[in-house]
Amino acid sequence: QILVNLVDNGVKYTRNEGNVWIEAKSDDDAVRIEVRDDGPGIAAKHRARVFERFYRADTARASSNGGAGLGLAIAQWIVDLHGGDIHPETREPHGCRMVVTLPNHEEYT
């Protein structure tokens, strides 16, 4: 569900000819998942709020794309339940990178 929500956001906010990438890495301690896009990115003033329920950084664009503004809040909730971390990073010159880190519990491997 985390990946579905992050990829869905990437697709919504990337131009028609844009790209969304998924990368995962694992070591003994953690799994790191990145979902990157080449859309407009998330302005610094919005980064602290993107995981709030119903929050939309670009209200005009978001309403035309549908959705309730819950995808990132749900992703964060699931990540928190697993004891992980999720945060956005801006990619230069544009785009967004959502980084998820989850503990690599032995029962998952």
Side-chain angles (χ1 to χ4, degrees), residues 50-98:
V50 295
F51 297 106
E52 292 178 17
R53 291 184 308 156
F54 309 113
Y55 184 77
R56 294 179 178 200
D58 183 352
T59 56
R61 183 178 174 114
S63 63
S64 67
N65 287 333
L70 292 171
L72 292 180
I74 292 169
Q76 182 181 38
W77 177 70
I78 295 169
V79 169
D80 288 347
L81 286 174
H82 287 281
D85 177 68
I86 182 171
H87 64 274
E89 297 176 356
T90 296
R91 296 178 57 221
E92 297 298 333
H94 53 78
C96 179
R97 175 186 295 123
M98 296 299 281

Side-chain angles (χ1 to χ4, degrees), residues 4-78:
V4 167
N5 291 3
L6 295 179
V7 169
D8 183 57
N9 264 16
V11 169
K12 281 182 186 175
Y13 293 102
T14 300
R15 65 190 189 286
N16 287 339
E17 297 80 25
N19 296 289
V20 176
W21 299 269
I22 302 169
E23 183 176 333
K25 298 177 184 175
S26 178
D27 61 29
D28 291 340
D29 298 322
V31 174
R32 179 182 166 105
I33 302 165
E34 293 184 9
V35 178
R36 300 184 313 273
D37 66 58
D38 54 8
I42 301 170
K45 66 181 181 180
H46 296 292
R47 281 186 221 132
R49 299 192 63 198
V50 295
F51 297 106
E52 292 178 17
R53 291 184 308 156
F54 309 113
Y55 184 77
R56 294 179 178 200
D58 183 352
T59 56
R61 183 178 174 114
S63 63
S64 67
N65 287 333
L70 292 171
L72 292 180
I74 292 169
Q76 182 181 38
W77 177 70
I78 295 169

